[in-house]
Amino acid sequence: MTRPATTWLQCATPVDDPQQRLICFPHAGGSASFYRDWGAHLPGTEVHAVRYPGRAERLAEPPATDLRALAAVIAEALEPLADRPLALFGHSMGAPIALETARALEARGIRPAHLFASGSCDAAHPDPDAEESTANGGESAEDDAAVVERLLTLGGTDPELARDPAFQELVLPYVRADSRMFHTYRPRPETPLRCPVTTITGDADNDADRRPWSELTAGPVRAHTTPGDHFYLVDRPPYALILATLAPVAARG
């Protein structure tokens, strides 16, 4: 039985007659609440954050293990919202999930208006052998202390909270699951997307996702650099960039 869209999407600030909708995909270990304030800063745009299984309101469910399968279900949940232009915003692990969701939407005849790949840059994939080594011996093989330190190094997690045993017991299982899903994901040669892509990378980000966006879409690719590290958007959410980028979409209705 297909789950309702409300299972997969959280809209903290509904808009009666939105010009467009922005669908936000959290990072590995993240949840929809990461984007809870965005709707208040993007006038005319209704923001929906994706609720991944295995955390927050869906803690009792098993985490996703297949990135493409996850994206296909998200695309199904988004279909009722396609009466307005849909833009996708994915940060870090959320960027390839947004990519696969865009592919699934286009397969359904729905063309996303734009894809924002945050914490990601237009570059060749890392060496497959190195990726395989990371997948088999990387974060998922580390002990809890190493995973916590990794979270703190990336940023976006409160240090005091991250070292709390109760927090670790609750969060580390789905952090590990996200890591396994992300590192075992492999791109396939497919028909390129048609939507434009904007990559957003912090100028001090040494952990940016690498993805050949210029090959993954037939639309234009724009690279935007902003001050900050991998979690630049905690202190500097790219509201102005999103609004300016989507202004032509809003004008076309």
Side-chain angles (χ1 to χ4, degrees):
M1 180 177 179
T2 302
R3 293 180 180 273
T6 51
T7 300
W8 286 95
L9 302 168
Q10 179 184 85
C11 181
T13 310
V15 178
D16 288 337
D17 186 23
Q19 296 170 326
Q20 65 255 329
R21 293 186 170 102
L22 180 70
I23 314 303
C24 296
F25 297 76
H27 53 279
S31 65
S33 62
F34 188 80
Y35 298 102
R36 63 181 174 270
D37 298 329
W38 282 39
H41 299 275
L42 296 169
T45 303
E46 188 172 73
V47 176
H48 293 258
V50 176
R51 287 172 162 160
Y52 300 146
R55 70 214 65 199
E57 302 88 349
R58 305 183 66 183
L59 186 62
E61 300 176 43
T65 58
D66 185 302
L67 191 146
R68 283 187 185 81
L70 173 64
V73 181
I74 295 170
E76 182 180 5
L78 290 176
E79 194 163 0
L81 302 181
D83 61 326
R84 297 291 191 277
L86 294 179
L88 311 182
F89 183 102
H91 180 67
S92 197
M93 181 188 76
I97 299 177
L99 164 65
E100 293 295 341
T101 301
R103 284 174 165 162
L105 286 170
E106 290 196 350
R108 291 171 173 267
I110 301 168
R111 181 178 178 180
H114 205 93
L115 193 158
F116 296 93
S118 172
S120 183
C121 58
D122 185 14
H125 287 293
D127 177 63
D129 293 335
E131 283 198 333
E132 188 66 28
S133 174
T134 302
N136 293 328
E139 288 180 63
S140 60
E142 294 175 336
D143 60 23
D144 288 352
V147 175
V148 169
E149 288 306 313
R150 171 77 172 156
L151 287 173
L152 295 176
T153 299
L154 288 174
T157 304
D158 179 79
E160 183 176 353
L161 181 62
R163 293 191 171 94
D164 181 88
F167 172 85
Q168 293 180 21
E169 182 179 1
L170 192 68
V171 170
L172 291 186
Y174 66 76
V175 171
R176 290 182 180 280
D178 285 355
S179 177
R180 286 192 296 270
M181 179 177 70
F182 178 63
H183 288 296
T184 55
Y185 166 67
R186 294 291 181 271
R188 296 174 181 168
E190 298 182 36
T191 302
L193 295 175
R194 294 185 294 162
C195 71
V197 172
T198 297
T199 64
I200 312 173
T201 311
D203 60 6
D205 184 358
N206 297 318
D207 296 283
D209 170 60
R210 295 168 61 88
R211 212 153 294 278
W213 293 103
S214 55
E215 300 174 15
L216 295 171
T217 183
V221 176
R222 175 189 176 194
H224 180 82
T225 303
T226 187
D229 56 19
H230 194 58
F231 276 91
Y232 73 89
L233 69 174
V234 172
D235 296 322
R236 299 182 183 86
Y239 301 138
L241 174 65
I242 292 170
L243 287 174
T245 302
L246 296 183
V249 177
R252 291 195 301 268

